[in-house]
Amino acid sequence: MRKALIYLALSAGAVVFAYPFVWMVLATFKPEAEIGNLSLLPSVWTLESYRLVFETIPIVRAFLNSLVVAAVVIASVLVFGSATAYSLAKLRWKGRDTVFNLMLFTMMVPFMVMLIPLYTMIVEFGWTDSLIGLIVPFMMNATAVLILRQSFVTLPTDILDAARIDGCGEWRILFTIVWPLSIPALVTAGIIVFIGNWNEVLWPLMVIRNEDWMTMPQMVALFTVGGGAQARLGPQLAAAVLLALPIAAVYLVFQRHFIASLASTGVKG
Amino acid sequence: MECVRLDGVGKTYDNGFVAVRDADLSVEEGEFLVLVGPSGCGKSTLLRMVAGLESITEGTLHIGGRLVNTVAPKDRDIAMVFQNYALYPHLTVFDNMAFGLKLRKHAKEDIRERVTEAAQILGLEDILASRPKELSGGQRQRVAVGRAIVRQPKVFLFDEPLSNLDAKLRVQMRAEIRALHQRLDATMLYVTHDQVEAMTMGDRIAVMRAGVIEQLDTPLNLYDFPVNRFVAGFIGSPAMNFFEGSLVGSSFREGEGGAVVSLTEAQVSNLAAGSGSVVLGVRPEDVYEVGAGAAAPAGAVRSVTVAPTLIEQMGSEVMLHASTPTGPMVARVARRPVLEPGESVDLAFDRAKLHFFDGVTGVRIPTGG
Ligand SMILES: Nc1ncnc2c1ncn2[C@@H]1O[C@H](COP(=O)(O)OP(=O)(O)OP(=O)(O)O)[C@@H](O)[C@H]1O
Ligand SMILES: [Mg+2]
């Protein structure tokens, strides 16, 4: 009896959370006129909203831009971030703990604080209106370093010593010993970086004016808020669904890792 | 020929802690040298300096005649076996052993040959495809040894390789490693805190205390001629008995109610030259029960009367635990009917087997046998 009540409450909660999302996805398949009412299912299924999105804005190009930026950023964070994390976790050098504390401190500083100095630098370097301007500021990520470091410190140091005697340099130890033993942490760090990067709107709005180099969230934001959709709800919702698609895909693929790591590290992006 | 030589090697950690002080040590080619000492005395630090895993802050280290102070571990021609095995968890047994050879760009055929041979020697043929977590402790340790021998290094370094195994397996692996040493004609430097392991395995033993090598000698010389009270007490089980006292006339006297041992002329004249306070050492097996019938050697003289507090029947012999004014003592005496609690016994010490140490410095006082 008690159990039944709990299930009931949980189901109700799930409906409350899921309803808007389900409604949104289904609404994109409705004709524009039908969107206003609260019925879930469209009376006629149509791709009109999507057609409008693809016709009005270069969303494929924006998708590719975002993809390139995210891929390079993730690769960079995993390589350089894990090197940093390895050094902080397993190498002995003067000032290591100070550096680690400084890094933790930078995590507390809101991105807003760095926005203006960062922007000035990018302008100085002439990196506005280019993907480089979107990539370079995010090539390192303190949260990812922290996640990786916490995982690396648990590796037995003797294994690393054995590898040193067997003939590994530190980079090779990182990639042939540490990486294969830290896959969950690498996946978690990768996902957190991906989600953060994929959803970033503010920074692209600052450094990109040329439509050719816009990222997907930027373009979708401009399209929905900036009037590109001419106040039609259908295309706005369709663009939002397209934007969420990669996140949903990543989530589905790595679901298990993600839940486990959120639960274990207690760190959020 | 010397294979490893340390001259005045010292280690000061970054926090200022001096873990090893002025260590002189040489390991001969083909020798099995054991480093033994209590926990925290710096054995691992010393071994890790030889391996190159810890920087040497003082002195020089030569391996095979080459100065290697600043040479990377992989270029020192050494292999090491760790206490926790330190196998690569994500690799199979085969790949664990082959890892170092692959990095050194050995031909595939050569790698297969060497790994197979090592697997045969160590009885690992059937588990080459397993991963470390599927193996028992003994098997893991064999794989760790296998990983070392496939490399055919100039020196093998062992850091307490057996301390994670159960007692029975430990005895067996001890013998196996000794046999391996003979078979490979290898040079081995072996760290342990277990003096029994040291005595049974080492060609020579270096006894360390608080970062200092106290004595380096063969097992029997360590046992018979310990250079100081620490070494005397560390080597041997049960440990040597010590009596603190002084030379009075021609006898050693512990004090009121304690041991009184009449000494030989040679012993008296050597002790008389000393500072006054003397520590007498006698091993449990050099103590005999007076009048118990069992043949005591000619040198045995009645020395002390004690009331045993604990009597351990070992079957072939009896361990008597008692206390004397300056500390506990243990006697290993011939088998006899059970004592009544509180009954006292007269014990004789073998005069030819007595050890004397300076009461202040603990240094051995030679007494000419
Ligand atoms: N990185 C370090 N920094 C400072 N002190 C250290 C460091 N590593 C070890 N020590 C200290 O050096 C001393 C010797 O350590 P070591 O590991 O060599 O001892 P050990 O003889 O191998 O002991 P055990 O039998 O416990 O393995 C210890 O007191 C230890 O606390
Ligand atoms: Mg140790």
Side-chain angles (χ1 to χ4, degrees), chain A residues 243-260:
Chain A
L243 179 63
L245 224 46
I247 300 273
V250 165
Y251 179 74
L252 285 179
V253 173
F254 295 107
Q255 198 176 22
R256 266 205 349 250
H257 286 290
F258 196 60
I259 292 172

Side-chain angles (χ1 to χ4, degrees), chain B residues 6 34 39 42 48 118 125 127 134 137 143 158 188 235 275 292-293 316 318 347 364:
Chain B
L6 285 76
V34 178
S39 189
R48 290 167 58 81
E125 295 111 311
I127 55 167
E134 297 156 19
V143 176
F158 293 86
M188 296 185 171
I235 300 290
S275 62
S316 59
V318 183
L347 298 175
R364 176 182 193 80

Side-chain angles (χ1 to χ4, degrees), chain A residues 92-94 156-169 172 175-178 180-181, chain B residues 13 48 51 53-54 73-74 78-80 82 84 86-90 96 99-100 103-104 147 151:
Chain A
R92 273 188 274 154
W93 40 277
K94 264 212 171 65
T157 306
D158 280 353
I159 292 183
L160 311 179
D161 283 338
R164 283 183 189 116
I165 289 174
D166 263 345
C168 288
R172 197 190 287 268
F175 293 125
T176 59
I177 308 288
V178 174
L181 297 176
Chain B
Y13 278 111
R48 290 167 58 81
L53 297 171
E54 211 65 74
K74 64 185 164 79
I78 47 127
M80 185 157 166
F82 296 84
N84 302 312
L87 300 177
Y88 309 123
H90 58 301
N96 260 282
F99 190 72
L103 289 176
R104 276 153 224 267
R147 184 170 64 183
R151 295 251 320 278

Side-chain angles (χ1 to χ4, degrees), chain B residues 292-314:
Chain B
V301 291
R302 178 188 294 256
S303 304
V304 70
T305 305
V306 295
T309 50
L310 175 66
I311 299 158
E312 293 177 307
Q313 290 286 355
M314 312 291 285

Side-chain angles (χ1 to χ4, degrees), chain A residues 54-70:
Chain A
F54 284 102
E55 232 165 46
T56 0
I57 49 172
I59 194 151
V60 174
R61 167 93 196 205
F63 172 77
L64 291 177
N65 285 341
S66 272
L67 207 61
V68 170
V69 170

Side-chain angles (χ1 to χ4, degrees), chain A residues 26-267:
Chain A
L26 291 172
T28 61
F29 297 105
K30 293 174 182 168
E32 182 71 28
E34 239 176 72
I35 294 176
N37 66 44
L38 279 177
S39 74
L40 262 185
L41 289 178
S43 60
V44 240
W45 291 79
T46 166
L47 289 175
E48 182 61 18
S49 298
Y50 289 95
R51 199 185 58 78
L52 273 167
V53 172
F54 284 102
E55 232 165 46
T56 0
I57 49 172
I59 194 151
V60 174
R61 167 93 196 205
F63 172 77
L64 291 177
N65 285 341
S66 272
L67 207 61
V68 170
V69 170
V72 177
V73 164
I74 289 171
S76 157
V77 167
L78 290 187
V79 171
F80 299 121
S82 64
T84 310
Y86 173 63
S87 173
L88 288 172
K90 287 295 180 185
L91 302 181
R92 273 188 274 154
W93 40 277
K94 264 212 171 65
R96 181 181 79 170
D97 296 343
T98 314
V99 168
F100 181 58
N101 287 328
L102 269 176
M103 195 198 77
L104 290 182
F105 175 71
T106 66
M107 291 177 62
M108 322 269 174
V109 178
F111 184 60
M112 296 291 174
V113 173
M114 313 211 299
L115 211 57
I116 302 302
L118 209 52
Y119 178 70
T120 318
M121 273 168 75
I122 296 296
V123 171
E124 282 299 310
F125 293 152
W127 287 347
T128 50
D129 273 333
S130 75
L131 294 188
I132 296 185
L134 293 175
I135 291 171
V136 172
F138 302 100
M139 285 179 80
M140 206 41 159
N141 182 311
T143 309
V145 172
L146 179 64
I147 291 171
L148 294 171
R149 178 195 176 271
Q150 298 312 75
S151 164
F152 294 172
V153 284
T154 64
L155 297 176
T157 306
D158 280 353
I159 292 183
L160 311 179
D161 283 338
R164 283 183 189 116
I165 289 174
D166 263 345
C168 288
E170 299 304 325
W171 281 100
R172 197 190 287 268
I173 289 179
L174 178 60
F175 293 125
T176 59
I177 308 288
V178 174
W179 270 30
L181 297 176
S182 311
I183 289 168
L186 288 165
V187 169
T188 307
I191 289 179
I192 285 176
V193 169
F194 173 73
I195 291 178
N197 195 265
W198 192 265
N199 291 336
E200 180 64 40
V201 181
L202 192 58
W203 182 249
L205 279 174
M206 291 192 64
V207 296
I208 305 290
R209 298 283 147 78
N210 183 341
E211 213 171 53
D212 282 351
W213 303 115
M214 285 189 181
T215 63
M216 201 163 169
Q218 179 184 14
M219 184 150 300
V220 170
L222 288 175
F223 176 66
T224 52
V225 186
Q230 290 154 5
R232 276 171 304 181
L233 215 46
Q236 289 181 21
L237 293 174
V241 167
L242 289 174
L243 179 63
L245 224 46
I247 300 273
V250 165
Y251 179 74
L252 285 179
V253 173
F254 295 107
Q255 198 176 22
R256 266 205 349 250
H257 286 290
F258 196 60
I259 292 172
S261 62
L262 276 186
S264 67
T265 60
V267 175

